[in-house]
Amino acid sequence: MHTPLDQYYLRGDELVEGSYPQLVGKEAGFDVVHKDAREMLITDNLLRMLDDSFDAELAMPENYYERFVTEMAAVFDKSVTFADFMKLKKNIKHDVAEADVIIINIGSNDVATMALLDPIFRTLYYTFGMQIQPAMTALKGQLNTIDSPEDIIKMVGGYEPFLSKMETNMEAYKVKMDRMIGVIRQLNPTADIYYLGMNGTAFYNIEPTDSEVSKFFRTHAHKLAKEFKTYATKESAYKDEIIYVGVDNAECWKADPIYSPTYFLYFLQNAHPNYAGHRHYADKILAAMRKHNGTRVSHGK
């Protein structure tokens, strides 16, 4: 439903009726579907759960800000559904290891959302995080001491314009996504891995269409969608092991005009597929499965 309350209603591992995980699971005949996606997560969050060595790296001073961002990205899930988040962390390696098919849809938050929120997160980090992050890390027995000016510089980082930050985030995302696929392959050498692209038309229905902000969203959403496809099909070290699924033109929730206060009130919903959009995602995935497996939709359970 298109309400402010629903915008922040977290569904955890629930397979929502009419969502593409539920549709694909049912129509491809899978016995079990684990929805290990959670709201707002970025690749770093999943890597911390899947790769213990990555989690240890984020305990180093030069990576404190990166660690802080992962905590902020998961703040809704941890604060509202803490038990569910901990269950995900406990079970995700098993889910990956036992899967016949793995569908990955992550990256938009890494690149665009985190570029948008970077000034806010850095302000919080400089104000509070630099003080509490070492303490939080120490409580987990992972503290690495800061013993040089270089460490402090690495911790603080620097400000960058939004577009520049998106470019930086994109390059970092490619490295981490390759690392995550590598970890998935260690846990599960045989599962088919389907990589969903970004819906580059997510902001095409923003009114008025001739406003500068509308043009900006449309232009850069389309550009990012092309970059995700290029990464998955040409640049990734695992390009021959992942099956790219384009999902452009998925219908999203109808947005109020961008100059209306209610546009931002419903922003999280406006930027994501409605039920028709989820049907579009499911159809694209099922078509990719048929192409990959011949006449069968899927070979697994």
Side-chain angles (χ1 to χ4, degrees):
M1 297 296 289
H2 205 257
T3 68
L5 183 61
D6 266 355
Q7 186 161 220
Y8 299 104
Y9 178 56
L10 308 187
R11 299 181 184 269
D13 61 1
E14 176 189 354
L15 280 176
V16 178
E17 190 74 23
S19 67
Y20 78 82
Q22 184 269 332
L23 293 171
V24 171
K26 178 181 179 181
E27 295 174 25
F30 288 96
D31 294 329
V32 177
V33 178
H34 294 289
K35 193 193 83 176
D36 289 345
R38 296 295 185 272
E39 286 84 355
M40 194 70 176
L41 296 193
I42 58 177
T43 306
D44 287 27
N45 292 109
L46 298 183
L47 261 178
R48 286 185 65 181
M49 298 178 195
L50 290 168
D51 186 351
D52 294 336
S53 65
F54 182 77
D55 194 42
E57 288 171 24
L58 293 194
M60 300 299 291
E62 61 265 31
N63 299 324
Y64 275 174
Y65 176 68
E66 191 174 0
R67 188 184 185 96
F68 182 75
V69 169
T70 68
E71 300 293 345
M72 292 301 295
V75 69
F76 285 141
D77 296 284
K78 284 186 173 180
S79 62
V80 180
T81 55
F82 183 81
D84 169 69
F85 193 88
M86 293 301 105
K87 184 173 73 172
L88 170 63
K89 185 175 180 179
K90 177 182 178 182
N91 294 335
I92 189 168
K93 287 184 183 180
H94 175 268
D95 295 346
V96 168
E98 295 295 315
D100 293 301
V101 168
I102 297 168
I103 300 173
I104 300 174
N105 181 9
I106 194 165
S108 298
N109 284 343
D110 292 65
V111 180
T113 308
M114 291 303 141
L116 189 65
L117 295 176
D118 187 66
I120 299 171
F121 282 175
R122 287 192 181 275
T123 299
L124 291 170
Y125 178 64
Y126 296 148
T127 306
F128 305 109
M130 287 181 68
Q131 299 176 37
I132 66 173
Q133 186 65 77
M136 290 170 61
T137 307
L139 288 174
K140 298 182 179 181
Q142 296 176 309
L143 181 64
N144 291 276
T145 58
I146 303 162
D147 52 18
S148 72
E150 288 78 13
D151 282 344
I152 296 175
I153 293 171
K154 289 175 182 177
M155 282 180 63
V156 172
Y159 287 103
E160 297 177 76
F162 176 69
L163 291 177
S164 177
K165 186 62 181 173
M166 279 209 302
E167 291 178 6
T168 302
N169 288 354
M170 189 69 195
E171 293 308 309
Y173 166 78
K174 293 174 185 178
V175 173
K176 291 168 187 172
M177 178 53 70
D178 266 12
R179 180 169 178 169
M180 188 167 79
I181 296 172
V183 172
I184 288 172
R185 271 290 173 245
Q186 290 175 8
L187 291 168
N188 188 327
T190 60
D192 291 338
I193 300 175
Y194 292 85
Y195 176 98
L196 270 60
M198 176 180 170
N199 181 24
T201 55
F203 296 101
Y204 273 47
N205 63 348
I206 300 177
E207 300 288 346
T209 57
D210 60 349
S211 76
E212 289 302 316
V213 178
S214 300
K215 291 178 182 177
F216 177 86
F217 279 155
R218 287 197 302 273
T219 299
H220 291 287
H222 183 65
K223 179 175 179 289
L224 278 179
K226 290 178 65 176
E227 289 190 40
F228 280 114
K229 181 178 181 180
T230 299
Y231 158 73
T233 59
K234 297 180 180 180
E235 298 175 348
S236 172
Y238 297 92
K239 63 182 182 295
D240 296 328
E241 294 198 37
I242 58 179
I243 302 160
Y244 175 79
V245 182
V247 292
D248 260 352
N249 301 310
E251 183 180 318
C252 294
W253 294 100
K254 177 64 177 175
D256 293 329
I258 200 164
Y259 53 75
S260 168
T262 53
Y263 174 80
F264 291 99
L265 182 65
Y266 298 110
F267 179 79
L268 292 180
Q269 287 179 317
N270 298 341
H272 291 89
N274 60 14
Y275 286 106
H278 276 271
R279 180 70 262 177
H280 177 80
Y281 272 53
D283 288 343
K284 291 290 187 178
I285 296 167
L286 291 165
M289 287 181 171
R290 291 188 187 96
K291 182 177 180 180
H292 181 65
N293 294 303
T295 57
R296 295 172 296 174
V297 173
S298 172
H299 61 70
K301 296 182 180 181

